[in-house]
C-alpha cells in the first residue's frame, strides 16, 4: 500500500478548502443582497444602470478554474495561486451580484452595482467644485467623482445629464455637508 505524500495531502486540502469557499461565497449572494438592501433603506431615486449579468460569467469561469486545476499537474504553488484566484473571482462575482440591478440613491447609501457607499463614508464630490468654473474645459456632465474617507475614489456614470442633475440634488439632500 502506497502512502500519500505530504505534498499530495496539502494539495488535496487546498482543493477542498477552495471548493468549500467557492460554494460558501456563491451561497452567500442572497444574504448579501438582503443585508445591503436592508441597510440602504428606501430607494429615493433608482439609477438607470443596466442590469449586469457579468457576475454569472465570472462565477462560471472561477468554477471552471477550480475544476481544471486537478486535471493538470501544475505544482503545489501554481495550483494554490490558481485556486486562490478562483475563490477571489467568486468573491468578485458575489459583490457584483449583491448590487446588480439595484443601483440608486437610497436613504442611507448610494448603491452602484458592486459598491454600496454609506453617506458617512463619502468625503467629497470633487466634480461639483470645478465643473461650473469657466476655466475648466471638457467636463463630462454624465459622470460624478465620489471621493471616499479612505482616500479611494468611485466614478458614478449616469445615462444623461438630466439624470445626473437629479441625482446630485438627491445626494445633496441626503448629505448636505457634501456641498462644495
Amino acid at each position: 500500500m502506497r502512502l500519500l505524500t505530504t505534498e499530495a495531502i496539502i494539495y488535496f486540502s487546498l482543493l477542498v478548502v477552495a471548493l468549500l469557499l467557492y460554494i460558501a461565497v456563491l451561497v452567500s449572494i442572497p444574504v448579501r443582497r438582503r443585508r445591503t438592501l436592508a441597510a440602504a433603506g428606501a430607494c429615493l431615486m433608482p439609477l438607470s444602470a443596466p442590469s449586469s449579468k457579468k457576475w454569472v460569467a465570472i462565477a462560471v469561469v472561477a468554477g471552471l478554474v477550480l475544476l481544471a486545476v486537478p486535471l493538470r499537474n501544475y505544482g503545489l504553488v501554481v495550483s494554490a495561486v490558481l485556486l486562490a484566484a478562483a475563490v477571489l473571482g467568486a468573491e468578485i462575482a458575489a459583490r457584483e451580484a449583491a448590487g446588480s440591478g439595484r443601483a440608486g440613491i437610497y436613504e442611507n447609501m448610494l448603491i452602484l452595482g458592486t459598491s454600496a457607499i454609506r453617506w458617512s463614508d463619502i468625503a467629497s464630490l470633487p466634480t461639483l467644485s470645478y465643473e461650473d468654473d469657466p476655466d475648466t474645459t471638457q467636463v463630462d456632465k454624465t459622470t460624478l467623482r465620489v471621493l471616499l474617507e479612505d482616500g479611494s475614489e468611485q466614478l458614478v456614470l449616469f445615462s444623461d445629464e438630466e439624470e445626473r442633475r437629479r441625482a446630485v440634488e438627491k445626494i445633496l439632500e441626503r448629505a448636505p455637508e457634501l456641498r462644495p
Side-chain angles (χ1 to χ4, degrees):
M1 181 166 110
R2 187 168 174 224
L3 295 175
L4 291 175
T5 65
T6 305
E7 185 175 328
I9 293 170
I10 293 171
Y11 173 78
F12 182 73
S13 300
L14 284 173
L15 183 61
V16 168
V17 168
L19 284 169
L20 290 174
L21 285 172
Y22 175 81
I23 292 167
V25 166
L26 292 184
V27 168
S28 74
I29 290 173
V31 174
R32 291 174 187 226
R33 180 178 281 251
R34 278 194 303 273
R35 190 177 338 150
T36 299
L37 292 176
C43 182
L44 304 174
M45 180 183 167
L47 298 176
S48 62
S51 178
S52 174
K53 297 298 180 194
K54 69 181 172 187
W55 68 269
V56 175
I58 296 169
V60 168
V61 169
L64 291 174
V65 169
L66 280 175
L67 295 175
V69 168
L71 299 178
R72 295 277 319 252
N73 185 11
Y74 290 111
L76 186 60
V77 174
V78 173
S79 294
V81 169
L82 288 172
L83 292 171
V87 171
L88 182 61
E91 176 63 24
I92 291 168
R95 287 184 184 184
E96 180 78 27
S100 180
R102 301 290 188 198
I105 298 169
Y106 291 79
E107 287 179 314
N108 303 318
M109 65 180 60
L110 176 63
I111 296 180
L112 310 165
T114 59
S115 302
I117 307 167
R118 294 188 182 279
W119 299 120
S120 58
D121 293 341
I122 299 175
S124 68
L125 303 173
T127 313
L128 300 180
S129 62
Y130 64 78
E131 69 184 1
D132 292 329
D133 186 352
D135 295 333
T136 305
T137 59
Q138 296 187 357
V139 175
D140 185 0
K141 296 272 187 158
T142 61
T143 62
L144 179 66
R145 286 179 46 218
V146 177
L147 187 63
L148 302 178
E149 290 290 339
D150 66 3
S152 64
E153 185 178 301
Q154 292 281 335
L155 190 63
V156 184
L157 305 173
F158 297 95
S159 61
D160 57 30
E161 290 182 28
E162 179 58 25
E163 182 186 47
R164 181 186 180 274
R165 185 191 60 72
R166 289 191 336 260
V168 167
E169 286 175 6
K170 283 285 185 203
I171 290 170
L172 294 177
E173 277 178 26
R174 297 304 306 164
E177 68 276 5
L178 296 175
R179 288 190 190 281

